[in-house]
Amino acid sequence: MYDSKKFDTDVLVIGTGPAGATAALALATYGVRVRVITMFNYLANSPRAHITNQRAMEAMRDLGIEDVIRKLATPWEQMGDTLIATSLAGEEIARLRTWGSGEARKGDYIKGSPCPMADIVQPLMEPVLVQHAAERGAQFSFNTEYMSHEQDEEGVTVTLKDVLDGREYTVRARYLVGADGARSKVAEQIGLPIEGEMSRAGTAYVIFNADLSKYVAHRPSVLQWIANPVAGFGEIGLGLLRAVRPWNQWIAGWGFDMSKGEPDFSREHVLQRIRALVGDPELEVEVEKNSTWYVNQAYASYYSKGRVHCAGDAVHRHPPSSGLGSNTSLQDGFNLAWKLAFVVKGYAGEGLLDSYSAERQPVGKQIVLRANQSRLDYAPFKECFRMNQGVDTIEQLLERMRAPTPEGVETRQLLQKALELKDYEFNAQGVELNQRYESRAVVVDENAGEEVWAQDKQLYLQATTRPGAKIPHAWLVDKNGLRTSTLDVTGKGKFSLVTGLAGQAWVRAAHELNLPFLRTVVTGEPGSADPYLDWQRIREIHEAGAILVRPDGYIAWRQTEAIWNDGDALDQLRDALALILDKAS
């Protein structure tokens, strides 16, 4: 029998980034003892990740902090078109409709999720996660370095070091989560095999303050790509201006030749680059920070070993293209937390934890490949612009792009194709929401056959109740007459058995099992009424069938046919839960 006195905490998390902080927040929300350490004095000190996609926002909604994040974020409507221009003040070459905000895609995004996208930089996101985790009982220790660990059949003994005084001590935990970044000591110690390539290209970043609102307020956008000879080096071949705090704090970015060492960050050179990208030779700026980052294309073959589980950049390392990094890290933590909570509370057997790596590793591999492909997909722009390849000035570039000749027509057709290809980076709702899980925590619907994709699976969401997919969003109506999503009546740390008014056998079966982690949702009843009949249209099961939704919103099992007999419903539900949770029936 589990004795809590043997352990200092149930779960020890290394790292306070998106993966670690989300895991801590979820575990604390579920009532699990969790302690988090970081070797640093505080949280993120640079605006690294920023794009927050719909699935990440759904997780935040489930954890009760979506509204807090949206108040701090640049809202969806201001993320805007992505501009390609000779400079911020210069001639426009093209605009990309991005983040699902264009007329052709906005309806897809609104229909697919109750949560709009948002842009919130890491130094704003992490404090929200940490604050709410601490308020719910998570313990945090800063200036504390992970040194090593030893695991046994009952738990993990972790050696930590107080960075301030050098004192080493041990903490005893049932489970260890390594969310300690791309140089993860935890992943290294448990020997996670990392496939791929690290540092294959370099980018210089400069954070600066300057009021550039006169250039962007009339065409709001958080990303501006600059086709300019001074920033034409590298895979992308374009300079970058990224709004950190619209419209007076920015990042200027450009590729650099790693074979020649570190980039030139002298005041004179940096100012010259920023002025060229903005297009204002007299611009005065306040430079806050210079940094470099490197393009990685690497992922772990598996995420766990025994009682140790890794998450976030520790297991998937890639460039920021497609905006998938922090979103995927956050979802790693969200996926792992409920499973740890169920095992700690005795609701599930240890086998449930095997599903973490089985489900998240394919996603990590997918997003590493997608992010790197998004960089390679800038090649058609380089072919169009031929910057530093016969086109050496802005005037030559504009002449090439506007030439009233057959060559000009061909160039503009190439530009059109280049813009359309970038949909796979900037309008890839399918990449973000079509994740399908295959693991022991999902019972395959043998009658469903292989899933057939009606549209491009990277671009378009395909909502389905197939086990392994996320529960589709549909608007229901609560007891006060207010709209509530199917995502709102499920999740929250529990399994949800979703059925219809005709599914009373399922209601009685759940009541008979009387499990503290299982709720019943009857669509059509007060509190989850379906007056639009949206759920009826998309549920893909008989009204007297049932869908079992996991705490993370993914569907674990379903019965598509009508079940009227109480005994049949009870047997099916009991067997499904026993299989998913690795517990005797």
Side-chain angles (χ1 to χ4, degrees):
M1 181 176 290
Y2 166 60
D3 182 359
S4 63
K5 295 179 181 178
K6 293 182 179 180
F7 300 94
D8 301 301
T9 186
D10 290 319
V11 182
L12 179 64
V13 179
I14 314 299
T16 53
T22 299
L25 172 60
L27 286 164
T29 303
Y30 304 150
V32 174
R33 294 189 304 158
V34 56
R35 181 172 174 183
V36 191
I37 68 134
T38 175
M39 64 184 294
F40 301 107
N41 189 55
Y42 193 54
L43 307 174
N45 61 356
S46 64
R48 303 164 219 171
H50 60 117
I51 299 298
T52 308
N53 66 32
Q54 289 182 291
R55 181 55 195 151
M57 290 297 283
E58 287 176 355
M60 298 297 96
R61 184 186 187 95
D62 187 82
L63 293 171
I65 61 171
E66 180 195 8
D67 289 345
V68 179
I69 291 170
R70 288 175 64 177
K71 287 177 182 178
L72 296 171
T74 300
W76 188 30
E77 56 271 19
Q78 286 195 357
M79 292 169 68
D81 295 346
T82 292
L83 184 72
I84 301 177
T86 58
S87 69
L88 199 58
E91 298 282 345
E92 281 191 34
I93 296 172
R95 295 190 193 186
L96 293 80
R97 292 184 174 93
T98 48
W99 319 121
S101 60
E103 293 87 344
R105 296 303 309 277
K106 189 169 185 178
D108 294 334
Y109 281 66
I110 293 173
K111 182 179 179 181
S113 173
C115 304
M117 297 186 73
D119 187 293
I120 178 168
V121 293
Q122 222 165 313
L124 294 179
M125 173 69 95
E126 286 184 12
V128 172
L129 297 171
V130 168
Q131 175 190 339
H132 284 81
E135 288 175 352
R136 299 175 194 184
Q139 297 179 333
F140 286 84
S141 298
F142 294 88
N143 299 301
T144 304
E145 184 177 1
Y146 164 85
M147 303 303 291
S148 64
H149 75 268
E150 293 183 4
Q151 57 176 313
D152 52 54
E153 291 185 358
E154 289 189 331
V156 188
T157 301
V158 186
T159 300
L160 305 176
K161 178 181 177 180
D162 188 315
V163 174
L164 299 180
D165 63 17
R167 177 177 60 94
E168 291 192 5
Y169 59 98
T170 61
V171 169
R172 182 76 171 153
R174 290 187 68 183
Y175 299 97
L176 175 65
V177 176
D180 48 338
R183 297 181 179 88
S184 172
K185 292 172 67 175
V186 179
E188 181 181 3
Q189 185 171 355
I190 63 175
L192 293 189
I194 305 294
E195 302 179 29
E197 178 184 5
M198 298 287 283
S199 302
R200 63 178 179 80
T203 298
Y205 261 15
V206 178
I207 303 172
F208 69 95
N209 298 321
D211 183 1
L212 304 181
S213 57
K214 65 180 178 180
Y215 301 121
V216 291
H218 62 292
R219 52 181 185 188
S221 174
V222 295
L223 286 182
Q224 325 274 344
W225 291 107
I226 308 300
N228 192 306
V230 303
F233 180 83
E235 278 182 331
I236 292 181
L238 298 168
L240 171 70
L241 287 171
R242 178 189 132 195
V244 175
R245 187 175 60 237
W247 306 111
N248 52 31
Q249 188 172 72
W250 297 81
I251 289 176
W254 58 87
F256 68 92
D257 188 346
M258 294 193 304
S259 67
K260 298 179 180 178
E262 293 294 297
D264 183 355
F265 281 131
S266 66
R267 167 73 182 176
E268 180 182 358
H269 183 77
V270 166
L271 187 58
Q272 180 265 332
R273 284 293 175 107
I274 293 174
R275 285 173 171 174
L277 296 178
V278 175
D280 183 349
E282 305 299 326
L283 181 69
E284 291 299 325
V285 305
E286 176 190 4
V287 175
E288 284 209 353
K289 186 176 182 180
N290 302 319
S291 63
T292 56
W293 61 265
Y294 298 91
V295 178
N296 300 322
Q297 185 169 333
Y299 52 86
S301 302
Y302 52 88
Y303 288 6
S304 304
K305 188 172 183 179
R307 293 179 170 272
V308 183
H309 308 274
C310 290
D313 287 355
V315 287
H316 38 79
R317 305 161 188 180
H318 52 86
S321 305
S322 293
L324 297 169
S326 66
N327 292 290
T328 304
S329 299
L330 184 153
Q331 291 168 60
D332 287 346
F334 191 53
N335 179 290
L336 178 59
W338 77 264
K339 296 171 182 177
L340 286 169
F342 269 54
V343 174
V344 166
K345 292 181 175 183
Y347 299 160
E350 295 277 353
L352 175 63
L353 295 174
D354 295 340
S355 68
Y356 167 64
S357 182
E359 292 178 354
R360 295 305 298 171
Q361 192 279 339
V363 174
K365 177 179 178 179
Q366 174 206 12
I367 63 101
V368 166
L369 298 179
R370 178 63 258 169
N372 278 275
Q373 185 60 48
S374 290
R375 282 183 64 86
L376 298 177
D377 286 348
Y378 283 93
F381 288 111
K382 296 174 70 174
E383 184 180 352
C384 279
F385 302 154
R386 297 199 176 279
M387 193 65 65
N388 300 327
Q389 302 174 52
V391 176
D392 299 309
T393 67
I394 291 175
E395 289 73 21
Q396 289 175 324
L397 172 63
L398 293 174
E399 182 180 353
R400 172 177 171 78
M401 299 307 301
R402 295 172 178 173
T405 63
E407 292 77 12
V409 172
E410 182 180 357
T411 298
R412 289 184 287 276
Q413 288 173 338
L414 286 173
L415 178 61
Q416 178 184 337
K417 292 180 180 178
L419 291 173
E420 291 170 352
L421 185 60
K422 296 314 294 176
D423 275 344
Y424 289 90
E425 178 175 5
F426 293 118
N427 293 300
Q429 190 187 27
V431 170
E432 298 163 3
L433 297 182
N434 278 336
Q435 296 168 4
R436 302 289 190 259
Y437 290 160
E438 296 180 14
S439 75
R440 69 177 302 155
V442 173
V443 182
V444 176
D445 183 348
E446 300 289 354
N447 298 320
E450 185 175 349
E451 186 168 6
V452 177
W453 297 89
Q455 295 176 287
D456 190 311
K457 65 185 294 186
Q458 292 191 73
L459 296 181
Y460 297 95
L461 165 64
Q462 180 159 296
T464 178
T465 62
R466 298 171 67 98
K470 180 181 72 70
I471 183 173
H473 159 61
W475 286 118
L476 305 173
V477 172
D478 68 15
K479 293 180 179 180
N480 297 315
L482 301 175
R483 292 197 311 177
T484 185
S485 173
T486 45
L487 279 66
D488 298 329
V489 297
T490 56
K492 313 296 188 298
K494 291 188 175 184
F495 274 76
S496 302
L497 183 66
V498 181
T499 188
L501 291 171
Q504 295 305 308
W506 299 108
V507 176
R508 290 188 287 270
H511 180 75
E512 177 71 18
L513 289 177
N514 191 29
L515 298 169
F517 57 82
L518 178 66
R519 73 163 65 85
T520 305
V521 177
V522 180
T523 57
E525 285 189 346
S528 53
D530 186 23
Y532 300 108
L533 300 183
D534 286 345
W535 178 246
Q536 183 169 307
R537 291 185 185 95
I538 66 174
R539 69 190 177 203
E540 299 176 328
I541 66 168
H542 192 281
E543 186 181 297
I547 296 169
L548 187 63
V549 184
R550 307 186 327 187
D552 60 354
Y554 276 78
I555 295 167
W557 166 86
R558 72 177 179 180
Q559 170 54 261
T560 58
E561 302 301 323
I563 297 296
W564 305 103
N565 181 276
D566 286 13
D568 290 342
L570 180 60
D571 289 345
Q572 288 194 30
L573 180 59
R574 181 193 290 119
D575 290 348
L577 284 166
L579 186 62
I580 293 160
L581 297 177
D582 186 36
K583 295 286 280 188
S585 182

